[in-house]
Amino acid sequence: MSLLRTLILLLSLCLSLAHHQVTHVRGSNRRNEAVIWCFVTARPPMKLSWKMDHHKILSVNVPENLPDMEREWSIVQAGKLYPKKDFVRLPGKFYGMLKKRRNDYAFALVIPTAAPGLRRTGNFVCEVGNSPPVSNKTLSFGHPPTLVPERQLLANNSDNFALPGSAFALNCPFEGDPLPEVSWTTPKGAKNGVLYEEAGQKLRILSVKAYHLGEYQCMSKNSHGEKGMRFFLKSGEPPKLLDISKYDKTLESFVEHLVAPLNKKITLNCPVSGKPQPKICWYRRDSKRLKHTSQSIRIRAPKNRNSTFFSCFATNQFGHTEKMFHIFKEGQIPIFQRSEVNRNVAVRMGQEIILDCATFGAPVPGVSWFKDGQEIAQKKDVLRIFPARMQDSGIYRCKGGNIHGFLSRTFRVFVKPL
């Protein structure tokens, strides 16, 4: 009976030793730390260790009554096991992670890449008890180039616009361990007037010329990998209203006068150009912003007033422009488009005389002109006389009207001799 017990104990010991094996080891790099994984087929109690170039740097005794770790990692530090929730990470300190899996244990060594005196490469060995150690390949610390989100000003594969003659910068904001080397590919002939700053991560153009336009690529590379960005630099221009000759100019805005028939909608057009394409905002007379963002909208005639205003505001990164719409309800009496004009006009002989009697109404008012009480052959609402002569001096009067009413304006003109 004693011999049988002895045989059983020896068999158990052999089986136990047979299960104390390191199956395989692998390493990986994360942003601020390197992690080496060791997978162990074993039964507690056992001793797990990590060595670097034959120097033990981390070890722990795994007891037989180890708490269930099927779901949670335990932290190994200073030869002790800690629940993950109680672990406080110390800057620059090695630590381990241990977890029981279905058929083995995962034992990881976590190495901060900023640890003091840390060499860039090393040979690491995982040991369990007295089993033969298993070594991973030489591990190189660090991580491949990654974008720095807080410094990324321009998106990858993006269209970028610059005004001719202006300064412009392209950013290639990568970080890595070791610090990546950055190289640029530029359009042919674009090297003139180009500076490289911040270890090559910023390309600055002092004054954008035609030969600077085109495709740019930056490549960030270190021993762990490479990553790049691509940009397209195009010529920009501020927003500009098309066919502005049709509109009146008032300060910085252009004004179009329109008649809205009762119970019908009319279209307000705001054709603009610009690079990049300008964004359009529409506003009502009370400064309320409308939801429309297209270059045209449809509106009805004002209900409780004879006229109202709308405006479109076009903007991009280089500037803005505005167009206003003075909308009259059908049946509007005539009004002067510009209330403040010079009515006392003094010019020298040979200069141009301009008398402004521009009106608006619905129907469109007819305009007549008189000089010193006598009607003259002029039907336009702006009277131009060029060149001015002495006999052009006098009292001028314009009269405009439609079926709803009339209005008039008087000018005093004095032509001075040379």
Side-chain angles (χ1 to χ4, degrees):
M1 194 68 179
S2 175
L3 179 61
L4 181 60
R5 288 182 179 178
T6 302
L7 291 174
I8 292 174
L9 288 173
L10 289 173
L11 181 60
S12 299
L13 180 60
C14 291
L15 289 173
S16 176
L17 290 174
H19 281 82
H20 281 67
Q21 299 178 19
V22 178
T23 56
H24 59 286
V25 177
R26 59 184 172 87
S28 63
N29 287 291
R30 299 191 295 203
R31 182 168 181 175
N32 295 314
E33 57 193 13
V35 182
I36 314 174
W37 302 88
C38 176
F39 300 92
V40 180
T41 302
R43 293 179 180 175
M46 59 181 169
K47 184 176 182 179
L48 301 177
S49 303
W50 276 105
K51 292 182 178 180
M52 181 177 71
D53 297 335
H54 306 294
H55 298 286
K56 186 176 292 187
I57 58 174
L58 184 72
S59 65
V60 66
N61 290 310
V62 182
E64 188 172 2
N65 59 346
L66 185 70
D68 182 41
M69 296 187 300
E70 290 285 354
R71 296 183 180 179
E72 292 291 335
W73 287 93
S74 290
I75 302 300
V76 180
Q77 195 171 52
K80 296 182 180 180
L81 285 169
Y82 299 91
K84 187 176 181 180
K85 63 180 180 178
D86 297 333
F87 174 60
V88 178
R89 184 176 303 183
L90 300 177
K93 296 293 184 180
F94 298 98
Y95 67 93
M97 297 191 302
L98 179 64
K99 184 177 183 179
K100 181 181 179 182
R101 306 198 309 172
R102 178 175 296 180
N103 299 316
D104 60 7
Y105 286 86
F107 181 38
L109 173 64
V110 184
I111 310 164
T113 55
L118 181 68
R119 297 196 306 272
R120 305 315 302 172
T121 60
N123 188 47
F124 292 83
V125 175
C126 175
E127 293 183 349
V128 52
N130 296 319
S131 297
V134 175
S135 173
N136 68 302
K137 295 181 180 180
T138 299
L139 178 69
S140 177
F141 296 112
H143 57 87
T146 54
L147 278 171
V148 185
E150 59 270 21
R151 290 185 58 241
Q152 185 179 3
L153 303 180
L154 300 172
N156 192 19
N157 292 319
S158 62
D159 289 341
N160 306 283
F161 296 87
L163 291 177
S166 66
F168 191 76
L170 293 171
N171 290 279
C172 193
F174 283 97
E175 65 179 7
D177 185 13
L179 186 67
E181 294 182 357
V182 179
S183 60
W184 286 86
T185 302
T186 62
K188 185 177 180 180
K191 294 184 179 180
N192 295 329
V194 172
L195 299 177
Y196 297 94
E197 302 173 350
E198 299 181 12
Q201 293 195 5
K202 176 180 286 187
L203 181 151
R204 183 181 298 279
I205 303 172
L206 300 179
S207 179
V208 175
K209 308 295 183 185
Y211 52 76
H212 288 127
L213 304 179
E215 180 180 336
Y216 289 76
Q217 289 185 341
C218 75
M219 184 60 65
S220 184
K221 184 177 181 180
N222 67 11
S223 56
H224 297 284
E226 61 182 33
K227 197 166 185 179
M229 294 183 70
R230 182 168 57 172
F231 312 92
F232 300 92
L233 183 58
K234 300 180 179 181
S235 178
E237 66 177 40
K240 181 174 65 176
L241 280 168
L242 304 178
D243 198 12
I244 58 176
S245 61
K246 296 181 179 179
Y247 319 130
D248 294 325
K249 184 75 164 62
T250 303
L251 298 178
E252 295 183 358
S253 300
F254 295 90
V255 183
E256 182 178 3
H257 304 276
L258 296 169
V259 175
L262 295 176
N263 302 320
K264 291 185 179 180
K265 287 186 176 182
I266 63 170
T267 301
L268 308 184
N269 292 307
C270 187
V272 294
S273 65
K275 296 178 183 178
Q277 183 64 35
K279 295 181 179 180
I280 305 292
C281 297
W282 287 90
Y283 296 89
R284 208 167 57 192
R285 67 184 299 274
D286 54 5
S287 299
K288 179 180 179 180
R289 182 173 175 176
L290 307 179
K291 294 181 179 180
H292 301 79
T293 57
S294 61
Q295 295 191 7
S296 63
I297 62 172
R298 290 182 60 77
I299 59 101
R300 293 186 182 275
K303 292 183 178 180
N304 302 320
R305 57 180 66 91
N306 291 325
S307 66
T308 190
F309 287 92
F310 284 82
S311 64
C312 78
F313 191 81
T315 181
N316 67 13
Q317 66 197 72
F318 302 117
H320 66 271
T321 188
E322 183 182 28
K323 180 183 176 183
M324 299 185 66
F325 300 84
H326 195 179
I327 313 300
F328 294 89
K329 184 165 58 177
E330 192 173 45
Q332 171 67 43
I333 61 175
I335 62 170
F336 288 113
Q337 291 186 15
R338 284 170 286 276
S339 58
E340 299 297 329
V341 298
N342 183 16
R343 300 192 187 189
N344 296 301
V345 180
V347 300
R348 292 193 178 275
M349 289 181 58
Q351 293 182 331
E352 184 178 24
I353 300 171
I354 301 176
L355 306 180
D356 189 343
C357 194
T359 59
F360 195 87
V364 177
V367 176
S368 300
W369 284 92
F370 302 85
K371 178 180 182 291
D372 298 329
Q374 300 295 318
E375 187 171 359
I376 59 177
Q378 171 68 31
K379 296 301 181 183
K380 294 183 179 180
D381 51 13
V382 177
L383 177 61
R384 297 177 183 271
I385 302 173
F386 180 80
R389 300 169 300 174
M390 295 294 296
Q391 57 267 37
D392 292 324
S393 298
I395 305 298
Y396 290 79
R397 179 169 174 260
C398 69
K399 183 179 180 181
N402 61 17
I403 60 175
H404 301 288
F406 294 88
L407 77 174
S408 65
R409 179 175 280 173
T410 301
F411 301 86
R412 290 173 175 81
V413 177
F414 177 67
V415 181
K416 303 175 184 179
L418 293 174

